[in-house]
Amino acid sequence: MSTSPIPPMDPIRLSELRDVAVRVVRQAAQLAREMALAPQDLDVAAKSGRNDLVTAADKAVEELVVAELTAATSLPVLGEEGHTIDSFAGLVWVLDPIDGTMNYVATHRDFAVSLALCADGVPVIGVVADVMADHLYCAVTGQGATCDSQPLLHLGQGPSRRDCVIITDLKEIQALPRLAQCLTESRGHRRYGSAALECVEVAAGRAGAFVHMWVSPWDIAAAWLICREVGGVVTRIDGTALDVRHKGSILVGAERTHSELLQRLMIDPS
């Protein structure tokens, strides 16, 4: 199973950029909270479908983050709501201003601000704010991951696939009969509606695995690093390497959990 090599980075420069990322994500989370208090002004619209929403808050948060990052670092930003890049060469910020917009609109919880810094397409800094729970997850390549500045524990081998909760969605269950069987044999499944937070649940040891058929770079770039820094295995559903520059599937879990799920989903006879 291949993994993406981590480009070497100057540790002082990394620390400076991490501090910028944390500051800006905190500002973004505060703006998202404030705008949630005036839902009549959210200007909710559909993008690719009726459940793919964008709001004035998504756009305002993205504009804030891009402006702050540009002023502080002069680095390009790829953002879900319209900011594009020419390539992933060098250092590039990858932003989801509100990951879980449906939750933002409908349930007013379980949404995140997700920001990663990628070096030649590989995340080296990841910051995810669980906005309404007021938790901030952060990782720097080679330095582990934290929640609210407290270290997250290494996942170790992890539980058997039968002894954990698996995070996935209805469309995955319908498309993958073997996944449905795995859920029946497990301790149950959950769905939160924000890929960044669902990956973080695995990184924090509160779920055994996360399975999804279609994520975008801004959904998982930051959470990819947070999971990797606590020993999580992050691949496509078929076990191939996950390149965060491209859309596709994702399978996240501790080493044993990931291995057992991959074996059952893709290798075992039906």
Side-chain angles (χ1 to χ4, degrees), residues 5-87:
I6 306 297
M9 289 282 295
D10 174 59
I12 296 176
R13 175 68 166 152
L14 268 180
S15 295
E16 293 171 347
L17 291 170
R18 175 206 59 206
D19 291 346
V20 170
V22 167
R23 172 178 62 80
V24 173
V25 169
R26 289 191 188 279
Q27 289 178 266
Q30 180 60 34
L31 176 60
R33 277 191 294 267
E34 291 172 355
M35 294 191 73
L37 297 177
Q40 69 276 9
D41 299 327
L42 285 180
D43 190 23
V44 181
K47 295 191 290 184
S48 63
R50 63 186 298 270
N51 292 331
D52 180 18
L53 302 182
V54 62
T55 71
D58 294 82
K59 297 174 182 178
V61 170
E62 182 158 319
E63 291 300 327
L64 168 70
V65 172
V66 171
E68 292 289 331
L69 291 178
T70 301
T73 71
S74 300
L75 296 173
V77 183
L78 172 64
E80 181 180 9
E81 306 309 335
H83 288 84
T84 60
I85 56 175
D86 294 328
S87 80

Side-chain angles (χ1 to χ4, degrees), residues 235-258:
T235 67
R236 299 299 186 192
I237 287 179
D238 64 359
T240 57
L242 190 156
D243 186 334
V244 303
R245 294 172 294 183
H246 305 294
K247 297 180 179 181
S249 65
I250 186 171
L251 171 60
V252 183
E255 187 174 346
R256 177 186 179 187
T257 319
H258 182 282

Side-chain angles (χ1 to χ4, degrees), residues 3-11 13-14 88-92 117-125 140-143 224-225 228-229 244-245:
T3 58
S4 301
I6 306 297
M9 289 282 295
D10 174 59
R13 175 68 166 152
L14 268 180
F88 270 95
L91 296 177
V92 174
L117 180 67
C118 293
D120 295 327
V122 180
V124 293
I125 295 171
V140 177
T141 182
Q143 298 182 25
W224 179 95
L225 184 62
R228 288 282 297 267
E229 285 295 312
V244 303
R245 294 172 294 183

Side-chain angles (χ1 to χ4, degrees), residues 109-253:
R109 60 181 175 85
D110 295 329
F111 59 89
V113 178
S114 174
L115 178 65
L117 180 67
C118 293
D120 295 327
V122 180
V124 293
I125 295 171
V127 182
V128 173
D130 184 342
V131 176
M132 299 311 290
D134 196 23
H135 292 310
L136 189 81
Y137 299 86
C138 181
V140 177
T141 182
Q143 298 182 25
T146 61
C147 176
D148 301 332
S149 301
Q150 297 302 308
L152 291 176
L153 297 177
H154 195 277
L155 292 176
Q157 289 296 304
S160 161
R161 66 175 175 85
R162 298 173 182 268
D163 294 325
C164 67
V165 168
I166 298 171
I167 301 175
T168 194
D169 196 6
L170 178 61
K171 62 182 178 297
E172 280 73 31
I173 299 171
Q174 292 175 328
L176 301 169
R178 292 188 181 193
L179 176 59
Q181 182 182 13
C182 287
L183 297 179
T184 299
E185 296 168 348
S186 75
R187 294 195 182 278
H189 85 281
R190 302 290 184 269
R191 174 69 168 133
Y192 299 101
S194 161
L197 292 183
E198 288 164 328
C199 287
V200 164
E201 286 291 293
V202 177
R206 293 187 292 263
F210 171 52
V211 184
H212 204 283
M213 293 175 62
W214 193 251
V215 290
S216 297
W218 42 79
D219 296 324
I220 50 89
W224 179 95
L225 184 62
I226 293 169
C227 290
R228 288 282 297 267
E229 285 295 312
V230 296
V233 180
V234 188
T235 67
R236 299 299 186 192
I237 287 179
D238 64 359
T240 57
L242 190 156
D243 186 334
V244 303
R245 294 172 294 183
H246 305 294
K247 297 180 179 181
S249 65
I250 186 171
L251 171 60
V252 183

